[in-house]
Amino acid sequence: MREPVHQAQRKVWRNGALSEGARLIPEETALALTYNGGTYAVMMGTPEDLGDFAVGFSLSEGVVQSADEIETLDIVELDNGIELRMWLKSEKAERLAERRRHIAGPTGCGLCGIDSIAEAVRPAAIVSAGRAFTPREIMAAVATVPPLQEINHQTRAVHAAAFWTKTGGIVALREDVGRHNALDKLAGALARDKVATSEGMVLLTSRVSVEMVQKTAAIGAPLLVAVSAPTALAVKMADAAGITLAAIARSDGFEIFTHPERVAGAVAGKESAYVVVA
């Protein structure tokens, strides 16, 4: 199987001087997701944790509602990419045939190829009440992510998605050149390990767009925390899904855009965001 990191030779021009040497960069590979012999999507991503990616993508896309509906999963390396070959239970296969679409998904693309506006902005699943968290817990969770980003330590070029609980800390963390892929990989890992997702929070090293909220809702996490800002549609979607969306998380605090009641000490007011400072 392809390695997730590649060593590239390069020349460096810095401070008026030229040097050369090697640098580690992330691998980017075409990943074809096929169901019962037909290609559903082709995404560009990092060839790591591909079983998790296949399951997570299937769940977040609504192809299946449970990982158990995937009867077999084979990872097949081809000359120009990798095929994630899945066979679904018969009733799922029939339903998929009715709504099959083909996606050509460049790196970081989460909605490419969707053939209707209604499908692109489909309502997210409604999450359960779940746990409440303190600002200290949220900031501690965010701080635990960077040290665990092994591929990013080598390349400084990939995103991460992680899941944190009060009792277990970081339960799972996945990386990819595409932020959507990283979250799909996380979703697959949590589903395969049957993690109780209402007990923790999703952590992102990227911005929050609408599909990241949809994927978090499919996971069933009550709290989504990101280091970058959300889009307006992401805020609207998180509010409707019952997700507490916290973003712009830094060492000194974060901003809560929706459902602040899950964060201890956040008092509702007229503002559109609640700023929590450590």
Side-chain angles (χ1 to χ4, degrees):
M1 192 61 63
R2 291 173 172 82
E3 293 296 324
V5 175
H6 174 77
Q7 184 169 279
Q9 299 296 319
R10 85 278 195 258
K11 296 182 183 295
V12 181
W13 176 263
R14 292 193 191 282
N15 299 318
L18 183 66
S19 63
E20 59 182 56
R23 179 181 179 84
L24 293 175
I25 56 177
E27 189 64 69
E28 184 179 22
T29 306
L31 306 173
L33 296 108
T34 68
Y35 301 96
N36 293 59
T39 301
Y40 183 89
V42 179
M43 308 296 289
M44 301 303 297
T46 303
E48 181 88 340
D49 299 311
L50 296 182
D52 292 338
F53 176 58
V55 173
F57 180 91
S58 302
L59 290 166
S60 66
E61 282 286 305
V63 175
V64 298
Q65 274 67 57
S66 167
D68 295 334
E69 294 174 355
I70 301 174
E71 288 194 325
T72 63
L73 166 58
D74 295 312
I75 300 174
V76 182
E77 187 157 6
L78 308 174
D79 290 340
N80 56 353
I82 299 173
E83 181 180 340
L84 309 180
R85 189 176 296 169
M86 288 167 278
W87 291 87
L88 308 181
K89 293 183 176 179
S90 58
E91 62 272 17
K92 278 294 171 184
E94 293 171 4
R95 195 173 308 168
L96 178 64
E98 297 175 359
R99 62 182 291 263
R100 185 179 302 280
R101 60 186 171 83
H102 297 275
I103 306 174
T107 302
C109 180
L111 295 174
C112 299
I114 286 179
D115 56 12
S116 76
I117 291 176
E119 188 175 359
V121 295
R122 67 187 186 277
I126 306 300
V127 303
S128 62
R131 279 189 176 271
F133 302 89
T134 67
R136 187 178 298 275
E137 287 170 336
I138 293 172
M139 294 174 65
V142 172
T144 59
V145 173
L148 299 177
Q149 290 184 254
E150 295 182 5
I151 298 177
N152 198 53
H153 287 165
Q154 299 177 70
T155 66
R156 302 298 177 188
V158 299
H159 295 290
F163 190 76
W164 184 95
T165 68
K166 290 187 179 186
T167 56
I170 296 292
V171 174
L173 182 147
R174 295 293 183 267
E175 295 178 279
D176 200 277
V177 289
R179 58 198 172 93
H180 308 94
N181 295 347
L183 187 51
D184 278 337
K185 287 179 178 181
L186 177 66
L190 297 173
R192 296 172 95 184
D193 290 339
K194 301 188 184 304
V195 174
T197 53
S198 63
E199 297 296 302
M201 66 181 82
V202 167
L203 307 167
L204 302 177
T205 63
S206 62
R207 66 184 175 87
V208 185
S209 50
V210 64
E211 63 274 25
M212 302 297 272
V213 174
Q214 291 168 329
K215 292 177 186 295
T216 300
I219 289 172
L223 174 60
L224 171 60
V225 185
V227 300
S228 297
T231 66
L233 186 55
V235 171
K236 182 179 179 181
M237 185 73 72
D239 188 44
I243 292 173
T244 298
L245 173 57
I248 318 174
R250 303 286 185 270
S251 61
D252 62 345
F254 51 87
E255 300 178 19
I256 310 168
F257 288 84
T258 59
H259 297 280
E261 63 273 8
R262 286 197 187 90
V263 181
V267 180
K270 295 182 179 179
E271 298 85 354
S272 60
Y274 307 88
V275 182
V276 178
V277 179

